[in-house]
Amino acid sequence: MKQYLEKLINHENLTVPEMKEATRCCFTETITETEIAAFLTALRTKGETPDEVAGIVEVIRSQSAFSTSHMPNVMDNCGTGGDKSYSFNISTTAAFVIAGAGIPVAKHGNRSISSKTGSADVLEHLGVSLAFSKEQIEEMLHENEIAFLFAPHVHAALKPFTKVRKDLGLPTIFNAIGPLTNPISLDTQLIGVYRRDMLQMMAESLHKLGRRRAVVVNGAGSMDEASLAGKNHLIILEEGKLTPFTFLPEEVGLPTYSNEKIRGGDAKANAKITRDVLSGKTGPYLDTVLLNAGLGLFASGTAKSIEAGIDMARESIISGAAKERLQRLIEFSKNIPSEVI
C-alpha cells in the first residue's frame, strides 16, 4: 500500500491494475484503519480518475457473495445522492415503472444518507424485505422483472471501509461509486449525479466497466435525477462513444415544475407518494417519475427517444403493470426475515 500512497500524495494517477491491488490490500487482515483512511483521503485530494473508479468498483463487486455473471438486459437506475433536494424517492418509484414496461431492474440502494428517506427506508415501509438471498434476487428478476439489493446486505465485506468513512466524516470516492457497485452484472444503466463536473468521469467509468449503453444525468437545480425545473445535462454512452446533450421539459412533452414541488418526507409519506404515482395520481410526482422512467427506458435502448420512453412509462402505469411489480415484491417478501442492518 505504501507505494500507492506515495504516488497519490505526489498527485500521480493509479492504473486500473494498481487501483485493484491497492483496494485488495484494504481487505487484508494486515491493513490498518489509518492506511485505509490515508488511501481514501489521498484519492480525494488528488481527484479520482475513471481508471481508479473502475479499479475499486471491480474489486468491490468481486468481494460480494451476490456477484453474478452476465445477466442479459438487466439494468439499474440509481443516483449518487448528495443533492440535498429532499425529493421523494424518484428512482425507486421509477424502477417499478421501468420493470412494468418489461425491462428487468436490479435496484441497488441504501438507507438515507443525504436525503430524508433512502430507497431501503421507503421499500421497507411498503413491506419489501431487505434480506433477499442471491437466488431469490435472480428469481425475482426472472419472474417479476425487479429485485431490490440492499447495499449493506450485498456488500458485507465493506465493513472496514464503512467504519473509516464514518470516522473521517468527509466525502470520499465512495460518495460517487455507490451506483456502480451493483453486484449484478448489468448491461445498461441510468445514473444521476448532483455535480455536473462528474458527468464525464462517471460516463467514462461506465465504459471501462463494460456497460453496453448508459445515460448519466445531472438534473436542473443540481439534482441527481432528471428534473422538470429546467435544463437537464446528460451524457449517453453507446458503443463506446460518449455524447453530451441537454433537454428542457417542454422538449419531451412534459410541464415545468420547481424542485420544491417534488419534496418528500419520511418513509411513511414517501411510501404514500410511491403508491399514489403507481396508481396514476396526476401531478408533479407522477410527471417526474414519467420523465425518469422514460429516461431509464431510453438508457436501456428499449425506447428510441426520451419521448418514446415517457409514452412507455405512462402505459406501464395506466395498465397497472408497474403497481403489480411492487405488489409481487411485497408478496415475495412475506416469508423472508426482516433485515436489521
Side-chain angles (χ1 to χ4, degrees), residues 68-282:
T68 66
S69 56
H70 182 245
M71 294 184 72
N73 304 318
V74 177
M75 75 170 297
D76 189 8
N77 66 321
C78 183
T80 58
D83 64 10
K84 305 292 185 183
S85 69
Y86 304 111
S87 62
F88 74 105
N89 298 92
I90 298 170
S91 65
T92 303
T93 309
F96 291 102
V97 181
I98 294 168
I103 304 303
V105 181
K107 187 73 179 79
H108 187 237
N110 208 336
R111 294 196 184 277
S112 172
I113 297 174
S114 59
S115 60
K116 288 184 180 179
T117 308
S119 56
D121 301 309
V122 72
L123 288 173
E124 187 176 50
H125 190 86
L126 285 164
V128 175
S129 173
L130 307 184
F132 295 119
S133 69
K134 178 180 177 179
E135 293 73 23
Q136 288 166 336
I137 287 168
E138 292 177 350
E139 181 182 348
M140 283 184 289
L141 285 172
H142 285 296
E143 294 186 4
N144 193 38
E145 275 135 356
I146 189 165
F148 182 66
L149 291 86
F150 182 40
H153 180 62
V154 300
H155 293 298
L158 285 180
K159 287 181 181 177
F161 283 107
T162 304
K163 184 179 186 306
V164 169
R165 289 178 65 203
K166 184 176 180 181
D167 290 345
L168 278 175
L170 299 169
T172 70
I173 192 170
F174 280 88
N175 293 80
I177 66 173
L180 300 172
T181 58
N182 193 323
I184 301 294
S185 183
L186 305 172
D187 250 358
T188 58
Q189 195 158 1
L190 170 63
I191 290 183
V193 294
Y194 74 98
R195 283 172 35 202
R196 196 176 304 167
D197 61 357
M198 290 175 62
L199 282 169
Q200 185 73 21
M201 188 271 285
M202 192 66 78
E204 290 182 14
S205 300
L206 285 163
H207 175 48
K208 290 180 180 295
L209 289 166
R211 299 295 186 271
R212 174 177 57 81
R213 185 178 163 95
V215 170
V216 187
V217 59
N218 171 244
S222 298
M223 285 191 68
D224 70 331
E225 312 273 2
S227 167
L228 292 171
K231 185 178 287 187
N232 295 275
H233 294 258
L234 309 91
I235 293 180
I236 182 168
L237 163 66
E238 186 172 25
E239 296 180 357
K241 182 181 178 182
L242 303 181
T243 306
F245 67 103
T246 63
F247 73 85
L248 295 164
E250 55 265 32
E251 293 173 339
V252 294
L254 290 171
T256 299
Y257 299 101
S258 71
N259 287 335
E260 284 71 28
K261 295 287 187 182
I262 56 169
R263 283 181 176 266
D266 59 15
K268 181 179 179 180
N270 283 11
K272 183 179 185 303
I273 293 170
T274 293
R275 285 195 177 277
D276 285 346
V277 168
L278 298 183
S279 296
K281 184 177 180 180
T282 59

